[in-house]
Amino acid sequence: MDVNLRAGRPDDAAICGRICFEAFTAISTQHNFPPDWPSVEQAQTVLTALLARPGVRNVVAELDGQVVGSNFMAEIGRIGGIGPITVAPAVQNGAIGRRMMEHMLAVARERSLIGVRLVQAAFHGRSMSLYAKLGFTVREPLACMQGPPIGVRLPGCTVRPAARADLETGCALCVRVHGHERREELREAIEQGLATVVERDGRLTGYATVIGFWGHAVAASTDDLTALIAAAPAVLGAGILVPTRNGELFRWCLTHGLRVTQPLTLMSLGFYNEAAGAFLPSILF
Ligand SMILES: CC(C)(COP(=O)(O)OP(=O)(O)OC[C@H]1O[C@@H](n2cnc3c(N)ncnc32)[C@H](O)[C@@H]1OP(=O)(O)O)[C@@H](O)C(=O)NCCC(=O)NCCS
């Protein structure tokens, strides 16, 4: 097969968005799971934004001159978050995904990133195998969970909107829990009025950029994290990604009305620390 990789252009969003929608819908339908994307248009809107966003690397694959796939990597501090990667269903399993992954890993090396991470659908044996062969290690089994707002206040915990003054404390907490910060995501969420923090005895003990698919949350303890989830007005997008090895957190979500929509896996290559606290990864990591 004559596969050519090139940089994405703004006008690739229409075809790459369509492929992204069709690739994810095909694999979900095959396994009887609900589709990840509600419509082609939404996939196209997200890919339009990713193709235009500084700090997000992209690659487009062409087969005999036709676009057949794309891959993205957001640089979050010195860690790369890969996704979405998609190959047109008709030409899957023909090494195009591998080529685009190898390309992104080479970009990560050129950019001196210390690690690369991703979240994959656990029922998808092909993507899990491909990433493992490329050097990724399974770090956390995740459950995507969705449900009505919980609307409970936890005793001793105060949840409030995050302010600019919370940025440094939030970053320091993230370093304590994960060994690295996610400054730009937190800064952006604060500026957009989406981020929340939890305080206990006057100390900041957790934050969430948003309670939902595209956001992440970090907390000193499971109680602090559940306080953030309990106070959220909605679970945005497809759901929150709950690390199920944290049995206390997983059971709390189940007993408070959230339901599992699909299993996923957090995988990493390079730098990774076992979390010293509670967390919800975003769909990137
Ligand atoms: C995941 C995806 C991008 C991979 O791209 P692809 O071109 O189909 O895959 P490739 O042919 O490059 O690689 C598949 C590899 O997995 C191996 N593989 C496939 N199924 C496997 C299985 N059940 N067990 C073990 N290995 C398996 C193949 O042999 C191949 O390995 P190789 O590179 O060593 O030969 C593509 O299938 C896709 O778009 N899927 C739907 C959307 C999706 O799930 N995206 C990923 C989100 S994280």
Side-chain angles (χ1 to χ4, degrees):
M1 286 200 300
D2 184 15
V3 177
N4 174 45
L5 299 187
R6 63 161 173 84
R9 300 185 294 256
D11 64 355
D12 290 321
I15 178 68
C16 291
R18 174 168 293 281
I19 291 169
C20 184
F21 172 82
E22 288 171 357
F24 276 107
T25 303
I27 193 74
S28 299
T29 308
Q30 255 174 42
H31 292 83
N32 263 338
F33 282 96
D36 286 282
W37 298 97
S39 64
V40 175
E41 291 72 26
Q42 203 191 59
Q44 288 170 329
T45 303
V46 170
L47 264 57
T48 300
L50 289 178
L51 283 164
R53 199 174 160 91
V56 175
R57 313 286 147 199
N58 66 63
V59 63
V60 165
E62 289 175 337
L63 179 62
D64 301 330
Q66 302 288 321
V67 172
V68 289
S70 60
N71 190 12
F72 296 83
M73 180 174 70
E75 286 187 22
I76 294 172
R78 298 187 56 213
I79 298 175
I82 290 194
I85 173 172
T86 45
V87 172
V91 292
Q92 285 176 5
N93 234 0
I96 297 171
R98 173 181 271 272
R99 288 272 309 274
M100 291 194 294
M101 283 299 292
E102 285 171 343
H103 172 87
M104 238 11 136
L105 296 180
V107 172
R109 284 191 295 275
E110 274 163 31
R111 305 276 312 157
S112 303
L113 301 186
I114 57 173
V116 180
R117 300 179 190 178
L118 55 81
V119 169
Q120 63 88 228
F123 58 78
H124 191 186
R126 180 164 54 224
S127 68
M128 181 182 270
S129 307
L130 173 63
Y131 306 147
K133 284 180 177 177
L134 290 170
F136 284 79
T137 297
V138 168
R139 295 299 180 179
E140 295 282 350
L142 307 168
C144 184
M145 301 188 77
Q146 184 53 279
I150 294 168
V152 171
R153 283 191 57 171
L154 267 78
C157 293
T158 308
V159 177
R160 61 166 173 80
R164 274 198 191 144
D166 297 316
L167 182 63
E168 292 307 325
T169 329
C171 288
L173 176 69
C174 192
V175 170
R176 277 208 304 286
V177 173
H178 289 304
H180 64 88
E181 57 180 40
R182 302 181 73 156
R183 180 173 294 266
E184 287 315 310
E185 291 167 290
L186 179 55
R187 188 204 305 278
E188 200 175 308
I190 292 173
E191 276 164 16
Q192 291 171 346
L194 295 170
T196 50
V197 294
V198 53
E199 290 173 322
R200 193 188 280 276
D201 300 325
R203 274 189 324 115
L204 189 149
T205 49
Y207 76 79
T209 55
V210 75
I211 295 295
F213 207 56
W214 294 94
H216 72 275
V218 184
S221 72
T222 298
D223 281 351
D224 297 305
L225 184 55
T226 53
L228 287 165
I229 300 169
V235 176
L236 294 184
I240 49 173
L241 301 174
V242 177
T244 50
R245 288 194 309 152
N246 185 341
E248 191 190 341
L249 174 66
F250 186 32
R251 272 185 295 278
W252 184 91
C253 290
L254 289 168
T255 53
H256 285 81
L258 300 187
R259 292 180 65 81
V260 175
T261 58
Q262 64 165 292
L264 299 111
T265 319
L266 173 65
M267 301 179 82
S268 76
L269 191 164
F271 171 82
Y272 188 87
N273 281 353
E274 190 75 14
F279 75 108
L280 298 177
S282 71
I283 187 59
L284 278 180
F285 67 82

